[in-house]
Amino acid sequence: MLYGPAADPESLALLQPFRDQIEREEYCIVNDADSEHRQEVCYSVGLTQRGLPELIAGMEDFTEFPQGTPSLMHHLVRTLLARGGNYGEGDIFEFHGQWVRLVPETLYKAQCNVNLGLYGEKFSLLQVAPCAPNPTERKGTQPICLN
């Protein structure tokens, strides 16, 4: 896939289903893995069009959540959009007993092929990391860093 915004016919055809879903639902969630499948991630696409950071989470971080990381990401994005998209680094949210914190993420950008195809380098990421309800406590999370 060309790093974009992609303009060649093959890349445009590959990206069209994502564009269609973003048009219908305001965003989409993409499941992806590095080329050696050492780490699988789930990330949002479409928030950039609203001037917001995209969100990314490791699949292994939310295995306890019903339907795992993709389900948590859908809940989180829907909630954030319903609140007007007012979120940023350090914010904490709770969904069905799972607490998450938005933390800076810059190391995995090259693996977000759909965002790169649609927006080129003009998008930012926040990692969705598990956390404890007490903001001063930290819970272990896997860093996303495969570059």
Side-chain angles (χ1 to χ4, degrees):
M1 180 178 297
L2 287 181
Y3 292 159
D8 68 287
E10 185 179 333
S11 293
L12 289 172
L14 287 171
L15 293 169
Q16 193 58 50
F18 300 105
R19 285 190 172 107
D20 293 343
Q21 186 173 355
I22 292 166
E23 190 172 315
R24 279 190 317 272
E25 300 178 28
E26 301 182 276
Y27 72 97
C28 66
I29 300 295
V30 175
N31 298 343
D32 204 352
D34 72 291
S35 58
E36 296 176 13
H37 294 276
R38 293 171 295 185
Q39 186 175 36
E40 294 182 19
V41 296
C42 186
Y43 61 89
S44 67
V45 181
L47 302 176
T48 297
Q49 293 175 193
R50 300 167 154 265
L52 301 169
E54 301 291 350
L55 303 174
I56 188 168
M59 292 292 231
E60 71 279 3
D61 288 337
F62 299 105
T63 56
E64 302 292 317
F65 193 81
Q67 287 102 39
T69 300
S71 176
L72 179 119
M73 292 289 282
H74 278 292
H75 283 292
L76 180 59
V77 171
R78 277 190 223 126
T79 298
L80 296 177
L81 289 176
R83 293 180 182 177
N86 188 14
Y87 62 91
E89 179 183 332
D91 288 350
I92 297 173
F93 303 94
E94 184 267 336
F95 301 98
H96 306 288
Q98 174 66 63
W99 290 84
V100 301
R101 179 191 313 270
L102 303 183
V103 298
E105 177 46 42
T106 57
L107 299 175
Y108 196 79
K109 189 178 272 193
Q111 302 293 329
C112 295
N113 288 330
V114 177
N115 278 329
L116 281 165
L118 290 175
Y119 310 118
E121 296 289 334
K122 298 186 188 293
F123 72 96
S124 61
L125 287 171
L126 287 174
Q127 182 177 349
V128 180
C131 72
N134 180 342
T136 61
E137 289 181 43
R138 294 276 183 181
K139 256 187 149 177
T141 185
Q142 295 292 324
I144 298 174
C145 52
L146 298 174
N147 293 1

